[in-house]
Amino acid sequence: MKSQTSTVLLINDDAAIADCILGALASPSIAGFEVESVRLLSAGVTRLAKKGISVVLLNLALPDSNGLETFTKLFATSRETPILILSETGQEEVALLALKAGAQDYLLRDHLNAYSLSRALHNAIERTAVEDALYLEKERALVTLNSIGDAVLCTDIDGNVTYLNLVAETMTGWTRTEAVGQPLTLVFRIIDGATRQTARDPMEMAVEQNRTVGLTKNCMLVRRDGFESAIEDSAAPIHDRAGRIIGAVIVFHDVSAARAMSVQMTHSAQHDVVTNLPNRVLLNDRVSQSIALAQRQHRLVAILFMDLDQFKVINDSLGHAIGDKLLQSVSQRLVDTLRASDTVSRQGGDEFVILLSSIDSREHVADSAKRIMLALSKPHTVDDHHLHIRASIGIAVYPEDGDNTDTLVQNADTAMYYAKDSGRNRFRFFDSTMNERVVERQSVESDLRHALERDEFRLHYQPKVNLASGRITGAEALIRWDRSEEELVAPARFIPIAEDCGLIVDIGKWVMREACTQARSWLDSGHLPIPVAINVSAVEFSDEAFVEGVRTTLATTGLNPQYLEIELTERVLMKDVEATASMLRELKALGLRLAVDDFGTGYSSLNYLQEFPIDILKIDRSFVQKIPTGPGDSLIVNAIINMADTLKLLAVAEGIETSIQRNYLQGHGCIEGQGYLFSRSVSAEDFSQLLEDDAQITVG
Ligand code: C2E
Ligand code: MG
Ligand code: MG
């Protein structure tokens, strides 16, 4: 039993009907109804508008209105209140019209009894409640569908569109009215973003598998006007109450932004920020792919490890902004020089790794390396600077030098060190002996770090002699390393390494102090006074504190500067002509002498010989060795001697091993020389003996 009372509005002017109804509703078998009666339509309309009426019983024949019109006027007042028509038997026609127009039902006066009336009233009220609820639910669903961000599209079992929400309308370019009834494949055109083939009909899949299916990855929706957007979607079958599939619903949304973001993020993770070139991660990927391909096709893959010579100097002196632009310029040249199928990557700093895929010969690789070096050698214009940069390249080739990325890159790196070592601006192919040398090099470097504190360095001295008299005119200090091996280690095996790791500066200071102390001691012991020459490498010379170090050493050892000579190579002198010139003048001002070592092996302009305050030219051993053993001339030797003469420099020939060489040089005006013919380099003690013997000759 309902506890609630429903209010029935009876609009009726017929007393008989009123009696009948009131009588029926008063019956004890009917409970829960309260009746309000009015006799005019106008009164009924007024009452209905006030709300609170659950159901209306309406007689169409009223004093102020008659027939169907009575119903339509009332219905217009409130569409949600159920209206039951009271009809005379034989007048059902009008009642039926009212039914069509929206009346809930009609009751025949002759059949009215308590039971049927109560059932009719209950039914009317309940049905309206159900309809209300249904309406609400549908309304809620529609509002929801139109307010969610996802597009929703429904089809019937034949694949025709039955519904689209607002987002779906926007994304497909079809309005609901246009789309409904059209085949899904026309309204919802999707293609595979990669292949651009029509993607599978999602509805078909959902129906076939009778479950919710996620759709093809990388799916693109083609709007009615052709515009494409990346979408992600799913489809689910719709069932009727009997569980039969009657259609499908497809839900999709635009993922263009997310996809673009993910593309962007993938790009950043795989590319270098400064140059936008692939980074290590992407390179590794590409190398693995190339190796797999090369394996099948029996071809080669080359890894070029490239390091820019002197990039650090530019970066340090002109700043990172310029450094970055230079790297960008280098990248561009590399990309322009190579094939699109090759990969140029930046490993960080001034190191680049280049992958040449699918090549047929080492010659091809060598050609590429040459082209790269040529392309880079043209000046790079960065802001107002014209920058010159050179590169050293190491090359490892699959399959000989490794069958995986790490080994190939590592070996190319090793080969690059060799390229640098053998004079920079060149390329070297990896060979397996290099690794042994790398190990050796590392062990030298670690031992070298302790060599100074363990007092393992020795200075040997080689006499310089007057070619005519054979008398000693000076000594050159040459370093040796007593590395607990049988023989002393020659400078060629450790000086370049000491230069690389910066240890040369401390070693150089030791050499200078030791040589000055020794020179002072020879002077003090009353030997013939001779100057001692020391060798200074580029790294030491570019140290700002160098001149000051020389001054201090001269002061602490008490050596008269005229007994010190400094030997510099052409390469050192040509680095930065102005800075060098001013440094050389400072050194000269201290009172010592300056020599150009290994003269003729550099590629420098001869102009500087006039600019720089130089005293001595040491003719490189290689020219001396080419002095013909028979009649004939060595043009270079002659030229150097003549030039020295013109510039009022002392020419000293290095590496004289035979009397023929000595005689030739002497005959062509070279005053002094050095070489095994006179003496190898010897310990300080043995050199004292040489000085002694020399004095004997003079006395004798
Ligand atoms: P350098 O200054 O040109 O020294 C001459 C080199 O030629 C020395 O080799 C010397 O032993 C060698 N030599 C002299 N006469 C002859 C000869 O008749 N025939 C042949 N075949 N060789 C001869 P060493 O001592 O091995 O030194 C090699 C290089 O190492 C030097 O070339 C110099 O550039 C560098 N070096 C030596 N000591 C030092 C040092 O204390 N500091 C620096 N920075 N470099 C040094
Ligand atoms: Mg020298
Ligand atoms: Mg030399």
Side-chain angles (χ1 to χ4, degrees):
M1 275 294 236
K2 276 190 192 158
S3 51
Q4 249 173 311
T5 320
S6 306
T7 307
V8 180
L9 174 64
L10 175 63
I11 311 173
N12 172 50
D13 188 41
D14 185 324
I17 289 180
D19 284 351
C20 176
I21 293 206
L22 293 174
L25 288 180
S27 143
S29 61
I30 302 183
F33 291 108
E34 211 170 68
V35 184
E36 286 184 27
S37 283
V38 294
R39 294 177 49 216
L40 294 177
L41 176 65
S42 54
V45 167
T46 314
R47 177 59 196 94
L48 194 58
K50 280 194 202 148
K51 312 279 173 192
I53 300 299
S54 307
V55 57
V56 179
L57 288 170
L58 175 69
N59 189 338
L60 293 176
L62 294 173
D64 57 346
S65 173
N66 199 10
L68 185 62
E69 198 190 26
T70 312
F71 169 77
T72 47
K73 280 183 181 159
L74 187 72
F75 190 55
T77 311
S78 167
R79 292 178 151 264
E80 58 266 29
T81 315
I83 301 169
L84 300 175
I85 309 292
L86 296 166
S87 173
E88 298 280 347
T89 313
Q91 289 181 2
E92 289 103 324
E93 226 166 277
V94 198
L96 281 170
L97 285 176
L99 222 59
K100 269 197 181 144
Q104 273 276 341
D105 207 349
Y106 64 93
L107 304 169
L108 293 175
R109 198 176 72 173
D110 305 346
H111 299 275
L112 263 183
N113 58 42
Y115 174 73
S116 65
L117 179 63
S118 115
R119 268 201 48 183
L121 291 172
H122 275 305
N123 280 348
I125 294 169
E126 230 146 69
R127 202 184 313 152
T128 309
V130 169
E131 276 172 5
D132 278 357
L134 261 179
Y135 178 83
L136 261 181
E137 194 168 314
K138 197 174 164 196
E139 192 58 21
R140 205 181 295 135
L142 282 179
V143 171
T144 309
L145 285 174
N146 279 336
S147 53
I148 55 172
D150 283 357
V152 179
L153 197 154
C154 302
T155 69
D156 60 18
I157 188 67
D158 300 322
N160 294 321
V161 175
T162 54
Y163 172 81
L164 278 95
N165 72 350
L166 276 176
V167 183
E169 286 186 331
T170 321
M171 286 183 65
T172 59
W174 287 77
T175 67
R176 192 183 316 169
T177 353
E178 291 169 324
V180 168
Q182 299 289 346
L184 173 71
T185 44
L186 182 68
V187 177
F188 186 65
R189 271 178 58 206
I190 46 173
I191 56 169
D192 183 311
T195 64
R196 306 205 50 85
Q197 299 291 311
T198 304
R200 265 206 78 184
D201 180 350
M203 181 231 156
E204 238 176 53
M205 277 198 279
V207 168
E208 203 175 276
Q209 303 175 19
N210 194 12
R211 63 181 182 93
T212 307
V213 288
L215 293 177
T216 345
K217 287 202 178 77
N218 197 15
C219 189
M220 305 290 288
L221 171 69
V222 186
R223 205 166 61 189
R224 204 173 180 182
D225 62 5
F227 178 83
E228 292 175 14
S229 48
I231 59 164
E232 217 165 67
D233 50 3
S234 66
I238 304 174
H239 300 102
D240 66 7
R241 283 162 75 179
R244 288 179 298 246
I245 299 174
I246 53 163
V249 54
I250 299 159
V251 179
F252 53 100
H253 56 264
D254 191 330
V255 290
S256 305
R259 216 173 273 174
M261 171 82 84
S262 99
V263 166
Q264 170 67 39
M265 278 167 64
T266 318
H267 184 90
S268 317
Q270 297 186 327
H271 289 78
D272 164 52
V273 190
V274 176
T275 59
N276 203 30
L277 289 177
N279 65 11
R280 210 182 289 253
V281 179
L282 188 52
L283 175 84
N284 285 359
D285 225 54
R286 300 243 175 110
V287 176
S288 310
Q289 281 172 18
S290 294
I291 288 177
L293 193 70
Q295 210 163 19
R296 272 181 268 134
Q297 302 179 335
H298 303 289
R299 291 173 77 86
L300 308 176
V301 173
I303 297 290
L304 279 64
F305 199 108
M306 186 183 100
D307 184 285
L308 300 179
D309 302 332
Q310 266 100 37
F311 173 77
K312 200 175 148 11
V313 179
I314 293 176
N315 206 40
D316 290 350
S317 57
L318 299 178
H320 292 275
I322 302 239
D324 282 358
K325 284 186 190 164
L326 178 58
L327 289 174
Q328 284 156 7
S329 170
V330 166
S331 312
Q332 197 53 52
R333 300 253 177 107
L334 290 173
V335 171
D336 292 346
T337 309
L338 296 163
R339 303 173 300 180
S341 55
D342 299 328
T343 300
V344 181
S345 82
R346 180 169 172 240
Q347 298 282 293
D350 57 354
E351 290 175 349
F352 293 81
V353 172
I354 296 150
L355 159 70
L356 306 181
S357 51
S358 192
I359 40 173
D360 42 29
S361 67
R362 287 178 168 253
E363 287 72 49
H364 175 120
V365 184
D367 283 347
S368 299
K370 280 180 208 155
R371 265 190 293 126
I372 290 172
M373 299 205 306
L374 184 69
L376 293 186
S377 67
K378 296 179 185 123
H380 298 257
T381 309
V382 174
D383 295 349
D384 290 337
H385 306 274
H386 297 288
L387 304 173
H388 293 265
I389 197 130
R390 298 288 153 103
S392 301
I393 300 175
I395 304 168
V397 179
Y398 165 87
E400 290 107 289
D401 306 332
D403 60 2
N404 61 69
T405 314
D406 286 349
T407 313
L408 286 168
V409 172
Q410 171 76 55
N411 288 343
D413 187 6
T414 302
M416 189 276 292
Y417 267 96
Y418 278 86
K420 257 204 184 340
D421 234 32
S422 40
R424 295 166 193 267
N425 191 30
R426 59 191 69 201
F427 66 89
R428 287 283 298 264
F429 278 94
F430 174 79
D431 74 68
S432 54
T433 62
M434 285 180 173
N435 272 336
E436 293 153 29
R437 283 184 278 169
V438 165
V439 173
E440 139 95 3
R441 187 190 164 98
Q442 278 161 354
S443 103
V444 167
E445 186 176 328
S446 72
D447 284 357
L448 209 49
R449 295 191 180 276
H450 305 288
L452 266 179
E453 63 199 52
R454 291 182 187 155
D455 199 21
E456 291 175 346
F457 291 119
R458 310 278 173 262
L459 277 191
H460 277 192
Y461 298 88
Q462 186 181 37
K464 244 189 314 184
V465 302
N466 179 293
L467 293 183
S469 66
R471 291 205 56 193
I472 296 176
T473 56
E476 177 175 4
L478 295 162
I479 195 168
R480 301 288 178 264
W481 180 15
D482 188 359
R483 194 195 177 197
S484 56
E485 287 171 6
E486 273 169 29
E487 289 193 6
L488 293 173
V489 183
R493 274 187 55 204
F494 65 90
I495 291 287
I497 300 173
E499 284 175 343
D500 267 3
C501 62
L503 284 168
I504 190 68
V505 175
D506 286 337
I507 295 175
K509 284 181 186 154
W510 177 86
V511 168
M512 185 144 41
R513 214 168 31 231
E514 182 70 16
C516 289
T517 310
Q518 188 57 58
R520 174 74 205 261
S521 135
W522 282 324
L523 286 174
D524 290 350
S525 59
H527 286 303
L528 187 75
I530 49 141
V532 171
I534 58 167
N535 293 282
V536 171
S537 73
V539 183
E540 294 171 73
F541 196 72
S542 56
D543 182 15
E544 279 168 21
F546 181 71
V547 179
E548 201 43 48
V550 176
R551 197 199 314 274
T552 317
T553 311
L554 285 170
T556 49
T557 56
L559 181 70
N560 182 332
Q562 69 177 8
Y563 294 110
L564 179 64
E565 276 174 21
I566 288 183
E567 295 190 3
L568 301 157
T569 60
E570 274 178 284
R571 241 182 278 273
V572 175
L573 297 175
M574 289 322 293
K575 253 184 128 183
D576 174 351
V577 177
E578 257 169 55
T580 306
S582 87
M583 223 162 136
L584 291 179
R585 277 192 290 271
E586 282 182 64
L587 284 171
K588 265 314 280 182
L590 295 178
L592 43 76
R593 295 209 295 169
L594 296 172
V596 180
D597 205 352
D598 305 342
F599 185 78
T601 56
Y603 313 92
S604 46
S605 104
L606 297 177
N607 235 353
Y608 72 88
L609 286 178
Q610 265 181 309
E611 303 277 322
F612 296 159
I614 292 162
D615 307 282
I616 300 161
L617 281 191
K618 297 188 76 175
I619 306 168
D620 191 68
R621 191 170 76 223
S622 57
F623 302 119
V624 174
Q625 268 159 2
K626 280 186 203 125
I627 289 174
T629 43
D633 264 327
S634 171
L635 295 178
I636 295 179
V637 169
N638 297 354
I640 297 176
I641 296 171
N642 289 336
M643 185 169 60
D645 197 42
T646 317
L647 295 169
K648 312 244 174 314
L649 305 177
L650 178 67
V652 178
E654 292 187 282
I656 305 174
E657 293 182 358
T658 65
S659 335
I660 294 175
Q661 291 162 352
R662 172 202 180 152
N663 295 339
Y664 182 94
L665 288 158
Q666 198 194 338
H668 284 80
C670 180
I671 311 290
E672 292 187 11
Q674 244 176 302
Y676 295 168
L677 178 67
F678 311 104
S679 168
R680 292 185 171 246
S681 61
V682 296
S683 67
E685 219 173 43
D686 291 350
F687 195 88
S688 303
Q689 190 57 51
L690 289 180
L691 285 175
E692 202 105 324
D693 297 349
D694 188 86
Q696 296 296 319
I697 294 167
T698 324
V699 173

